[in-house]
Amino acid sequence: MRPDLAPEHVRPLTPNETFRFRCHPGVACFTDCCRELELALSPYDVLRLSKHLGLAPSTFLDQYALIEQAEGNGFPQVFLCMVDDGRASCPFVTASGCRVYADRPGACRTYPLGRGAFTTPDGDRHEMHILLNEPHCKGFSEGDPQDITAWQKDQDLATYNAMNDELLGILHHPRLQDGYPPVELEEEIFLLLYSLDTFRNLLLDGTLALPIPITKNERQELGTEDLALLRLGIRWLGHVLSRR
C-alpha cells in the first residue's frame, strides 16, 4: 500500500517496528469493534467456527453466513451475517466479550494489524502488514510494546496465516480473474472449500472420484480430519483450474 494513498489512520508496519495494543473489558470501547462491520470469512474461519459451535459446516453457513459472488471474480465471498439490532452486531458478541473467542475469525485475531500476502512469479511468498490505528479504539494506549511476530504468536495466527497462504494460488488464478466462471465451477469452489461435510459425504459414498493421487494416510484422515479435507479441497481445486 502506498503511504500517500492510505487512510489517515492506516500506515505500513515494518517487521521490527513495535506498537502498543491491548483489548480488555476495562477499555471504554470494549466490543464496539464487533459491531457495524463487514466480516469476511475464509474457508478456515468457517471450519473453526462450525466446529466450535458443534455444527456441520453446511449448517453453519445456512444459519450464520451470507454468500456473495464478486463481479469479475469467480471465488465466492462468505460474510458473517450480523444481527439486526440497530448496531449490526456480530451474532457471537456478548456484554462480556466474544463467545467463540477461542475460534474467532482470523481478521478478529489479526486486528489491529492488517496482513496482505502474495506470491511472486518465481514462487516465493511475501507478506506485508499495516497498522489500523482507528481513533475510536482505546486499546492503543494499553499494553506493552510488541512487534508483528509477538502479536501473531500471542493471537495464535500461525495456522490461520498458513491456510490463507495455501489459498493464494486459487485466489489469484487467472481463470478466476476474467469474469464469472461457469456455474458448475462456482459450485465446485464452494463445495471443496466451505461445505466440507457435504464434500466428505460425497467422497465417502463414491459420488465424487478423486482426480489427484493421495497417500494412504491422507485417505484415512479424510473421514475425520477437517483440516486434511480442506487441504485436499485446495489441491483438488488447483488441479481443476489447471486443466480448464
Side-chain angles (χ1 to χ4, degrees):
M1 176 184 293
R2 284 174 46 187
D4 58 321
L5 296 180
E8 185 177 354
H9 62 274
V10 176
R11 66 176 178 83
L13 196 64
T14 60
N16 297 321
E17 190 174 354
T18 62
F19 63 95
R20 290 181 65 196
F21 181 80
R22 180 170 172 257
C23 181
H24 59 89
V27 295
C29 60
F30 186 60
T31 75
D32 281 357
C33 59
C34 305
R35 310 175 197 279
E36 298 179 355
L37 77 160
E38 188 176 82
L39 183 59
L41 299 176
S42 71
Y44 187 63
D45 288 334
V46 171
L47 184 159
R48 290 282 295 259
L49 286 168
S50 59
K51 193 167 187 177
H52 184 102
L53 296 167
L55 299 173
S58 58
T59 303
F60 170 85
L61 292 164
D62 286 341
Q63 293 184 5
Y64 291 105
L66 174 67
I67 295 92
E68 294 183 358
Q69 193 72 42
E71 185 174 356
N73 190 327
F75 196 86
Q77 293 184 307
V78 177
F79 295 93
L80 186 64
C81 286
M82 299 300 160
V83 177
D84 186 13
D85 61 354
R87 298 187 66 191
S89 299
C90 171
F92 307 123
V93 68
T94 70
S96 58
C98 176
R99 68 181 179 94
V100 295
Y101 188 80
D103 294 291
R104 64 200 183 281
C108 303
R109 292 171 181 270
T110 305
Y111 187 85
L113 303 185
R115 177 180 182 266
F118 61 95
T119 303
T120 53
D122 59 5
D124 289 338
R125 289 180 180 174
H126 302 270
E127 64 177 9
M128 58 165 288
H129 291 87
I130 57 173
L131 181 67
L132 301 131
N133 195 337
E134 299 179 291
H136 65 81
C137 181
K138 308 304 180 186
F140 292 98
S141 59
E142 304 277 334
D144 297 324
Q146 59 190 317
D147 60 16
I148 294 169
T149 300
W151 180 251
Q152 290 182 335
K153 182 178 180 180
D154 182 69
Q155 299 300 305
D156 195 20
L157 275 161
T159 306
Y160 283 83
N161 290 343
M163 292 309 301
N164 289 339
D165 289 352
E166 285 191 34
L167 273 172
L168 288 176
I170 306 300
L171 288 167
H172 300 157
H173 198 284
R175 295 188 184 275
L176 297 183
Q177 306 302 314
D178 301 325
Y180 291 112
V183 171
E184 61 269 20
L185 181 53
E186 294 177 20
E187 294 174 348
E188 197 165 9
I189 292 170
F190 192 77
L191 171 70
L192 297 176
L193 301 183
Y194 288 99
S195 190
L196 294 182
D197 55 309
T198 306
F199 179 24
R200 173 178 285 121
N201 291 338
L202 293 175
L203 271 179
L204 296 182
D205 71 11
T207 302
L208 286 179
L210 283 167
I212 54 177
I214 62 172
T215 67
K216 182 179 179 180
N217 286 341
E218 286 177 321
R219 188 176 294 276
Q220 291 175 339
E221 289 178 334
L222 296 183
T224 57
E225 298 295 329
D226 289 340
L227 187 56
L229 190 63
L230 175 55
R231 285 197 159 112
L232 173 64
I234 294 171
R235 288 171 51 204
W236 184 322
L237 191 53
H239 173 79
V240 168
L241 290 170
S242 70
R243 292 174 58 88
R244 289 183 181 247

